[in-house]
Amino acid sequence: MKNMEVKIYFIVTNTAKNKTRFNKGTIGVVQNEVGEEYKATILESATYKKDQNLKKVNVNLISKREAQILLGIENLEIRIAVFSSKIFRTICTIHQNDLVVVKQKNGEVPGLVVDVLEQIRKTSSSQLLNGIVFDVELLKEQGNVRVIISAEKIISVSSDNNPQVQDHKEAQKFKEIPRQNSIKKNEQNPEKSSTPSVCNTVLENSSMILKQDGLLEAGSMVELQARNGATIYGVVRWIGIPPGKSELWAGVELDYELKNCTDGLFENQRYFSCDDNKGMFVKLQECRPDSRFFAASTSQLEPPCVDHYSVVHVMNKAELQNNEADVPPIPESEVIELLEGKMKGIQGHYNSCYLDTALFSLFCFSDVLDSVLHCPNVGEQRIQTVLRKDIVNQLRRRGFVPAENVMKLRNLLGCSTFASEEKDPEEFLSVLLHQVLAVEPLLKIRSNDKTQDCYSYQIIMEKEDLEIPSVQTLLERSFLSCDLKFDEIPSCLIIQMPRFGKGFKLFPRIVPSTELDITDLLHNSPRECFLCGSVAEIECLQCLQDPKLMPGVIKQFCQKCDKQVHSHKKRQHHHPQKIFFPLMNDFSSSAVICRHKLELFAVLCIKTSHYVSFVKYGPGKNSWLFFDSMADRCGGENGYNIPEIKACPEVGEFLSKPAGSIGKSDLEKADGFVERLLCDSYMFMYKCPALCLYR
């Protein structure tokens, strides 16, 4: 391993399935790394062994400070419980004069930390690491008592600069008491962890009071002021006292890049790692809880309702009333500031990515389906209300929807599998729009002189000699091969790409068509002659594959061109059909045919059963965002997912090229987001702006 002069410690969190079989809760130090195993030394008196091999999956790496805190706890089961608790990372930052609440036989008692002490261990491994315990003065009405306790006795912690401590007269009085230590004193500046410790920002219990400046720890979402006075947002990755400083500082990973920031380095020392120009170090007191998720009333802060998988959001009465009002789609000018970064968009939970991406894509920047939110004759009024108020309005107003809001919707869909199992977006939309809300179908497609209603269209076709097709080509081929026509122009067209299951793609890459021309796919609508541009009166399916007539393009002709084309001896067996549309006899042969085009506004992609989406947020050609509802995870099995949104202007640059000019070399050079869009596309969403508000 790199930098072996710095010891890397660990705790065993799973029972190892090998001959050594160390118990859960055992602490050790890594000596070397070999493949999927660590060569390690165990620091326990009962199991002390040198150079044992442990599988990486069975251990969690921890800092020296965390290892010492845990070594101060003798019982391994209790040690694991403390390590898994949300307060553990806060306990690791305890210093002199911190106010704590301690668990005693007679209940919970406030106390003042007199000192942080190292235990002298009697085992042969003691030279490697000593445990840490705390000398605490218990503040009791009948008199103060000094006790030595380990971490499992500490229930909550408040730092010395917290108003709660400053206003505590008893705590102030005991700050000046001379300290006499019977146990070896810990070094003055204990080692801080260089590994980010991420945990949920929640209130641990009723004894922890959330002040205006917030209860901050590693993993807290915060806001602070940039040098120009603007408010910027990020996540706390490290808290501690850097060398040469006298107060607590915070290392913050920002939501987006800023000039003159770092990648987690501060004064030539690394405290955490992040992208370049996204790391900032400030005094902890300059950080405030992210006001987008924490809102405090000017009078009294009500206790928040905490869910184990979402970020706490406390709203005052005025905010609750404002939350009732409907919100339009987010304007392009506000998107980057409101949405780019982590904990943005819709938070995923329990295989919900199919639903998160569909709702985000349909509602965040588009009003194409807003009629669904207000239709008075829906089947389930309660579900419509949850969708409108708890998801769409929340997304458009705050740029973030917690998983608990989405779970409300999932639990109301009438099938328990929607609350936990993997689904496809089209299955969810069909159930939501058709079976639950009973709204009008999005599509009316004519086949064999009959109209079929549906909510999305699955492209069906045989694999053809199309190396890299466009969506336009695939839709036309599918419609022609199945003899289909749109009965009317759809306000919203959702198209599924040809696949056999989630794994096998019919085409390795598909080029998105930013505009979808459906003029020639409309029933009873005027069309142009393929050759001369006059009003077409005849169409021919057999001409589609003719190599001399631009294969793959829809073939329709006026009377004159039809006779010329089908006079060829190789086309005399064709069966052209007449085109009919209202007022056909009133059209002159030179009339200009109006083209009907739909605009691409979102693409859902899938890879290894996980859905993400690319969404266009404005008219600008580069106004594209990438959304992943489960981009990261916090807190392991009992933690929560971290959604993330990233700007991807390179997608817009690529799609702005004329479809015919995109060659194989352009596709091979594509990387990052563009490559993912081309290779993993699953569902394309189009809208007709002129019709959106009338559905």
Side-chain angles (χ1 to χ4, degrees):
M1 294 185 68
K2 297 179 181 180
N3 301 325
M4 282 306 298
E5 66 274 6
V6 178
K7 290 184 171 62
I8 306 298
Y9 299 92
F10 64 85
I11 179 172
V12 178
T13 51
N14 293 305
T15 303
K17 296 181 180 179
N18 54 31
K19 295 180 180 179
T20 54
R21 293 191 63 80
F22 295 112
N23 295 326
K24 290 183 182 180
T26 303
I27 306 293
V29 59
V30 174
Q31 302 295 349
N32 202 351
E33 180 180 1
V34 181
E36 296 302 315
E37 293 186 333
Y38 291 128
K39 194 174 184 180
T41 298
I42 300 300
L43 305 181
E44 301 298 312
S45 58
T47 58
Y48 173 60
K49 301 283 183 181
K50 285 188 176 181
D51 299 339
Q52 296 294 310
N53 290 335
L54 292 173
K55 291 187 179 297
K56 293 180 181 179
V57 296
N58 293 327
V59 303
N60 275 35
L61 297 184
I62 56 179
S63 68
K64 178 182 177 182
R65 174 76 163 182
E66 291 171 331
Q68 287 184 291
I69 296 288
L70 293 170
L71 281 171
I73 304 171
E74 295 295 335
N75 186 292
L76 298 187
E77 291 184 4
I78 296 177
R79 185 184 292 174
I80 279 288
V82 171
F83 175 72
S84 302
S85 69
K86 298 184 180 74
I87 195 177
F88 173 62
R89 273 52 176 189
T90 306
I91 292 175
C92 292
T93 65
I94 290 178
H95 291 86
Q96 270 188 357
N97 293 332
D98 281 354
L99 185 66
V100 296
V101 176
V102 177
K103 185 188 298 182
Q104 294 288 288
K105 292 181 179 179
N106 58 345
E108 300 174 1
V109 182
L112 188 73
V113 177
V114 176
D115 220 333
V116 181
L117 311 168
E118 276 194 19
Q119 280 182 319
I120 301 299
R121 299 171 65 86
K122 298 179 181 179
T123 66
S124 57
S125 63
S126 61
Q127 293 181 353
L128 288 173
L129 200 66
N130 292 317
I132 282 181
V133 292
F134 303 95
D135 184 358
V136 177
E137 189 109 39
L138 300 180
L139 309 178
K140 298 183 177 182
E141 294 180 0
Q142 63 272 29
N144 302 308
V145 179
R146 290 274 289 272
V147 295
I148 304 297
I149 60 171
S150 50
E152 78 269 17
K153 297 291 186 182
I154 297 176
I155 298 172
S156 66
V157 182
S158 297
S159 60
D160 187 51
N161 60 1
N162 191 309
Q164 180 181 353
V165 178
Q166 295 172 1
D167 295 340
H168 201 295
K169 295 181 180 180
E170 290 297 312
Q172 287 289 343
K173 181 176 69 174
F174 286 100
K175 286 181 183 178
E176 307 303 324
I177 296 179
R179 314 300 178 199
Q180 293 182 355
N181 303 323
S182 57
I183 305 179
K184 180 182 176 182
K185 185 175 180 179
N186 191 23
E187 61 259 27
Q188 189 170 6
N189 291 315
E191 179 183 327
K192 305 295 177 187
S193 170
S194 60
T195 304
S197 296
V198 184
C199 55
N200 202 356
T201 311
V202 296
L203 301 182
E204 291 297 327
N205 50 53
S206 59
S207 64
M208 275 181 149
I209 301 175
L210 182 62
K211 296 290 185 180
Q212 184 87 18
D213 57 353
L215 177 66
L216 301 179
E217 57 185 353
S220 295
M221 300 179 65
V222 295
E223 63 182 40
L224 54 152
Q225 281 193 328
R227 294 182 181 89
N228 62 2
T231 300
I232 53 180
Y233 303 92
V235 179
V236 176
R237 296 302 186 197
W238 174 85
I239 294 177
I241 302 178
K245 308 295 182 183
S246 59
E247 55 189 315
L248 286 173
W249 281 59
V252 179
E253 181 179 355
L254 302 176
D255 287 353
Y256 42 83
E257 294 183 10
L258 287 180
K259 290 182 180 180
N260 301 320
C261 288
T262 78
D263 63 351
L265 281 175
F266 182 57
E267 296 183 347
N268 297 321
Q269 184 170 341
R270 179 166 299 283
Y271 293 91
F272 65 95
S273 296
C274 65
D275 295 338
D276 290 341
N277 292 317
K278 292 183 71 173
M280 177 178 283
F281 289 83
V282 297
K283 294 178 181 178
L284 184 61
Q285 63 186 13
E286 296 179 17
C287 297
R288 303 181 302 276
D290 194 325
S291 62
R292 295 170 298 176
F293 310 115
F294 292 85
S297 170
T298 55
S299 57
Q300 183 178 4
L301 185 67
E302 297 179 1
C305 178
V306 180
D307 193 280
H308 73 281
Y309 54 77
S310 63
V311 177
V312 178
H313 176 222
V314 186
M315 293 189 293
N316 56 35
K317 293 181 180 179
E319 194 175 15
L320 283 170
Q321 292 173 354
N322 186 47
N323 205 40
E324 297 293 319
D326 289 329
V327 185
I330 303 171
E332 184 178 22
S333 59
E334 300 176 12
V335 167
I336 297 300
E337 182 179 357
L338 178 64
L339 283 175
E340 189 177 21
K342 294 185 177 180
M343 291 306 284
K344 304 296 176 67
I346 300 176
Q347 184 182 34
H349 182 61
Y350 281 157
N351 302 314
S352 68
C353 60
Y354 70 92
L355 182 147
D356 307 326
T357 53
L359 293 179
F360 181 87
S361 301
L362 285 170
F363 292 106
C364 195
F365 313 114
S366 171
D367 56 9
V368 65
L369 288 186
D370 274 20
S371 59
V372 173
L373 306 176
H374 305 95
C375 179
N377 300 318
V378 297
E380 288 287 345
Q381 191 74 42
R382 185 181 175 190
I383 292 179
Q384 184 191 51
T385 301
V386 170
L387 177 62
R388 184 177 74 253
K389 292 184 178 180
D390 295 337
I391 297 178
V392 177
N393 284 348
Q394 184 90 338
L395 178 62
R396 292 173 176 178
R397 179 179 289 112
R398 298 189 169 277
F400 176 77
V401 179
E404 61 192 35
N405 290 24
V406 182
M407 282 300 294
K408 290 182 187 178
L409 177 67
R410 297 172 73 185
N411 289 327
L412 292 172
L413 289 178
C415 178
S416 60
T417 58
F418 276 102
S420 58
E421 296 182 7
E422 294 181 6
K423 299 284 185 180
D424 296 323
E426 69 275 11
E427 181 182 1
F428 159 64
L429 292 175
S430 178
V431 169
L432 177 68
L433 300 178
H434 175 50
Q435 298 180 25
V436 177
L437 296 180
V439 297
E440 284 291 318
L442 301 179
L443 306 177
K444 295 183 181 297
I445 298 178
R446 176 171 290 267
S447 175
N448 297 323
D449 293 327
K450 294 182 180 180
T451 299
Q452 299 177 357
D453 296 336
C454 51
Y455 294 87
S456 63
Y457 177 71
Q458 168 72 63
I459 287 181
I460 301 173
M461 59 184 297
E462 298 291 334
K463 184 171 176 61
E464 300 180 24
D465 188 19
L466 297 172
E467 188 174 5
I468 307 173
S470 67
V471 177
Q472 179 80 46
T473 300
L474 293 176
L475 182 64
E476 290 179 350
R477 294 268 181 119
S478 180
F479 261 53
L480 290 174
S481 63
C482 299
D483 192 20
L484 304 176
K485 286 289 188 295
F486 287 114
D487 229 9
E488 59 183 35
I489 301 172
S491 60
C492 179
L493 174 59
I494 299 173
I495 309 174
Q496 296 170 242
M497 292 300 100
R499 283 175 177 257
F500 295 102
K502 295 180 181 178
F504 182 72
K505 299 178 290 186
L506 203 58
F507 302 99
R509 290 187 181 94
I510 296 174
V511 177
S513 301
T514 54
E515 282 189 335
L516 201 61
D517 192 332
I518 63 169
T519 308
D520 299 332
L521 302 178
L522 287 171
H523 178 65
N524 284 346
S525 178
R527 309 179 215 168
E528 285 185 356
C529 174
F530 166 69
L531 294 178
C532 71
S534 299
V535 176
E537 299 179 53
I538 294 170
E539 64 181 351
C540 182
L541 180 60
Q542 286 85 1
C543 286
L544 181 69
Q545 303 295 344
D546 196 316
K548 295 184 178 181
L549 291 174
M550 196 181 296
V553 178
I554 292 177
K555 308 305 189 302
Q556 49 208 13
F557 311 100
C558 63
Q559 291 280 2
K560 183 179 179 179
C561 292
D562 173 58
K563 290 180 180 179
Q564 293 178 344
V565 168
H566 288 101
S567 63
H568 194 287
K569 61 181 180 180
K570 290 186 177 180
R571 303 191 189 103
Q572 291 177 357
H573 67 283
H574 288 190
H575 303 286
Q577 297 179 351
K578 289 187 177 182
I579 298 173
F580 297 98
F581 58 89
L583 305 177
M584 183 174 184
N585 295 330
D586 296 334
F587 263 70
S588 67
S589 59
S590 60
V592 177
I593 305 300
C594 178
R595 309 301 299 182
H596 301 286
K597 297 181 179 181
L598 308 181
E599 296 179 2
L600 176 67
F601 69 91
V603 183
L604 273 60
C605 298
I606 184 173
K607 187 175 184 180
T608 60
S609 299
H610 180 58
Y611 290 95
V612 297
S613 64
F614 293 88
V615 187
K616 198 169 193 299
Y617 63 85
K621 71 172 185 178
N622 294 340
S623 299
W624 283 87
L625 290 178
F626 172 78
F627 168 61
D628 186 348
S629 66
M630 301 178 179
D632 200 356
R633 185 157 182 86
C634 171
E637 182 178 352
N638 296 320
Y640 60 92
N641 290 308
I642 300 176
E644 184 173 15
I645 296 176
K646 295 181 179 180
C648 49
E650 59 268 41
V651 167
E653 286 290 344
F654 181 86
L655 295 180
S656 64
K657 298 179 181 179
S661 68
I662 298 176
K664 188 175 181 180
S665 59
D666 296 310
L667 298 174
E668 290 175 348
K669 292 177 183 178
D671 56 2
F673 287 128
V674 175
E675 179 70 13
R676 191 166 189 179
L677 175 66
L678 297 174
C679 295
D680 299 338
S681 57
Y682 178 83
M683 177 180 283
F684 289 82
M685 295 181 173
Y686 289 86
K687 64 181 179 180
C688 180
L691 296 177
C692 288
L693 296 178
Y694 298 97
R695 297 293 182 183

